[in-house]
Amino acid sequence: QWFDPYRKTKRRRCTLLSMVLDDDCIGTFCHVNADEEDAEADILVLVDREDFLLGDSSAALEKGGQTEELELNVIDVGEATINYLLSTDIADHRLLQLMDFLEDGGDIRDIEILASRTMVA
């Protein structure tokens, strides 16, 4: 069984960094590279464990058949982290540099979030 977190794309390479599973879901932490310059992201991909274990999408795709696609929850870690930091009401002096950067006209796409492989656990 395999799945592509970005449906119908061929210009991205997705590398699995870590994975964890419990009774309900499978969580994977992946690093994505695109052909575009500076187009990288760390993502969390969550899928229902039963759907994955009982699925036949890989076999059907290899034979050229149609299949129902797995319901994937794909979360861009960098984007989610920045959104959280910008929406929090907690006053944290460690965020002052980030706020100053954005207030001075800095582009949010210039902010790099470094995620740990243990994040998925």
Side-chain angles (χ1 to χ4, degrees):
Q1 180 77 317
W2 59 272
F3 57 87
D4 181 2
Y6 297 103
R7 302 198 194 290
K8 298 179 175 64
T9 61
K10 295 188 186 219
R11 296 195 169 147
R12 298 181 188 201
R13 291 182 311 273
C14 188
T15 304
L16 176 66
L17 300 176
S18 62
M19 184 171 93
V20 67
L21 57 104
D22 64 15
D23 293 337
D24 298 319
C25 67
I26 299 171
T28 62
F29 180 57
C30 304
H31 183 76
V32 179
N33 288 335
D35 288 343
E36 302 169 21
E37 202 171 303
D38 295 330
E40 294 186 28
D42 291 314
I43 59 171
L44 289 173
V45 180
L46 305 172
V47 63
D48 183 85
R49 182 179 172 153
E50 289 297 314
D51 289 348
F52 184 79
L53 294 176
L54 298 175
D56 61 348
S57 61
S58 295
L61 288 172
E62 287 177 9
K63 295 176 184 173
Q66 297 296 322
T67 183
E68 290 184 24
E69 300 204 15
L70 290 173
E71 179 72 28
L72 302 178
N73 294 312
V74 180
I75 301 165
D76 183 311
V77 174
E79 181 180 324
T81 302
I82 290 172
N83 287 341
Y84 171 77
L85 291 174
L86 295 177
S87 67
T88 186
D89 291 334
I90 300 169
D92 189 337
H93 70 279
R94 295 173 293 180
L95 295 177
L96 290 177
Q97 276 188 306
L98 173 63
M99 298 303 181
D100 288 345
F101 172 76
L102 294 172
E103 286 175 7
D104 291 339
D107 191 341
I108 203 162
R109 291 174 291 185
D110 292 334
I111 300 170
E112 182 178 16
I113 302 294
L114 302 176
S116 166
R117 290 180 183 206
T118 59
M119 182 176 222
V120 73

